[in-house]
């Protein structure tokens, strides 16, 4: 949302509302109402914000506008990857996601993927800018047939991991317990190159 808003605040005015209501800004509801009432067809969202002098939480509004002014200039003079990194750092969006306890691993994986995607995008396409990258992301998000897949997040530390035999491969766990696996039967089955996992019969099963 923030990247879309930064590239074209008039087209993505609705994104600004969402950015302001969410962390790290989370502006006061009264301030939100003031902005909404001031917006007109003759003035952009940002211009409307600048004309308001009294705020319930002025420090949050100042933080938003200062970052916006700085980044508006920054994205015109830096690489796509640097732009993504600076936006996340300057706004506090990276810290917000990294400090969230819910879905923290997924958040980290998502942020890493966006940064890597920005680097790959600029390397494979000559003469592109940050606005082109935002258009690309918008297209991916809008097109259900396209997808940017995030890498699987690292496993949780200090916890038992329940996985399939196959997915445990390459994780370098200190200990791996494989229930129902019998060494003598497993070795025999691998000779056919079609290994099976023998399961002991359930003695408690009744006909």
């Amino acid at each position: 949302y923030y990247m879309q808003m930064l590239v074209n605040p008039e087209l993505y005015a609705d994104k600004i509302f969402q950015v302001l209501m969410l962390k790290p800004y989370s502006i006061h509801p009264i301030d939100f109402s003031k902005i909404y009432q001031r917006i007109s067809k003759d003035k952009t969202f940002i211009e409307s914000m600048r004309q308001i002098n009294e705020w319930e939480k002025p420090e949050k509004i100042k933080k938003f506008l200062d970052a916006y002014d700085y980044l508006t200039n920054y994205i015109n003079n830096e690489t796509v990857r640097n732009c993504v990194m600076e936006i996340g750092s300057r706004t506090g969006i990276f810290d917000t996601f990294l400090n969230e306890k819910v879905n923290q691993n997924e958040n980290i994986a998502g942020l890493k993927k966006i940064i890597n995607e920005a680097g790959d995008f600029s390397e494979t396409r000559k003469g592109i800018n940050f606005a082109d990258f935002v258009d690309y992301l918008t297209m991916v998000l809008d097109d259900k047939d396209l997808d940017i897949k995030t890498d699987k997040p690292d496993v949780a530390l200090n916890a038992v991991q329940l996985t399939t035999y196959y997915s445990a491969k390459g994780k370098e766990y200190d200990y791996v317990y494989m229930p129902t696996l019998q060494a003598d039967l497993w070795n025999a089955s691998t000779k056919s190159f079609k290994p099976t996992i023998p399961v002991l019969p359930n003695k408690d099963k009744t006909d």
Side-chain angles (χ1 to χ4, degrees), residues 77-127:
N77 301 289
E78 281 292 340
T79 64
V80 174
R81 187 179 186 279
N82 285 349
C83 288
V84 173
M85 293 290 291
E86 188 66 15
I87 289 171
S89 176
R90 177 72 58 162
T91 60
I93 291 175
F94 281 179
D95 287 339
T96 298
F97 277 100
L98 294 176
N99 292 327
E100 284 287 340
K101 294 183 178 180
V102 179
N103 298 327
Q104 188 178 57
N105 286 338
E106 288 79 0
N107 290 339
I108 293 173
L111 292 176
K112 287 173 60 178
K113 186 61 178 177
I114 290 294
I115 294 170
N116 292 336
E117 198 76 22
D120 294 342
F121 185 82
S122 57
E123 288 179 2
T124 56
R125 297 167 176 80
K126 301 299 182 180

Side-chain angles (χ1 to χ4, degrees), residues 32 35 50 70 79 125 145:
F32 184 88
I35 299 172
R50 296 190 196 280
Y70 171 82
T79 64
R125 297 167 176 80
D145 294 331

Side-chain angles (χ1 to χ4, degrees), residues 3-168:
M3 291 191 291
Q4 290 176 322
M5 175 275 298
L6 194 62
V7 169
N8 195 330
E10 295 184 27
L11 178 62
Y12 296 109
D14 60 318
K15 306 299 184 186
I16 304 180
F17 274 116
Q18 297 181 59
V19 168
L20 289 173
M21 291 299 291
L22 300 173
K23 294 180 181 180
Y25 296 108
S26 303
I27 68 171
H28 197 281
I30 294 179
D31 291 336
F32 184 88
S33 179
K34 289 180 179 180
I35 299 172
Y36 186 80
Q37 293 173 7
R38 181 62 66 91
I39 292 177
S40 66
K41 293 182 180 180
D42 300 328
K43 299 174 183 177
T44 66
F45 193 107
I46 301 298
E47 290 173 343
S48 299
M49 289 183 67
R50 296 190 196 280
Q51 291 186 348
I52 301 174
N53 297 319
E54 296 183 0
W55 301 97
E56 290 293 319
K57 298 291 184 180
E59 67 279 3
K60 292 189 175 184
I61 301 299
K62 184 178 186 303
K63 178 182 178 181
F64 173 82
L65 291 176
D66 286 350
Y68 173 84
D69 292 338
Y70 171 82
L71 292 170
T72 299
N73 179 66
Y74 187 91
I75 62 175
N76 294 321
N77 301 289
E78 281 292 340
T79 64
V80 174
R81 187 179 186 279
N82 285 349
C83 288
V84 173
M85 293 290 291
E86 188 66 15
I87 289 171
S89 176
R90 177 72 58 162
T91 60
I93 291 175
F94 281 179
D95 287 339
T96 298
F97 277 100
L98 294 176
N99 292 327
E100 284 287 340
K101 294 183 178 180
V102 179
N103 298 327
Q104 188 178 57
N105 286 338
E106 288 79 0
N107 290 339
I108 293 173
L111 292 176
K112 287 173 60 178
K113 186 61 178 177
I114 290 294
I115 294 170
N116 292 336
E117 198 76 22
D120 294 342
F121 185 82
S122 57
E123 288 179 2
T124 56
R125 297 167 176 80
K126 301 299 182 180
I128 59 96
N129 55 33
F130 180 71
D132 296 325
F133 179 64
V134 174
D135 288 341
Y136 162 71
L137 288 181
T138 302
M139 177 187 67
V140 171
L141 293 173
D142 292 342
D143 193 333
K144 295 182 179 180
D145 294 331
L146 298 175
D147 188 22
I148 297 179
K149 296 186 181 296
T150 59
D151 298 327
K152 290 184 178 180
D154 294 333
V155 297
L157 300 178
N158 299 321
V160 175
Q161 310 298 320
L162 181 62
T163 71
T164 63
Y165 288 171
Y166 182 81
S167 61

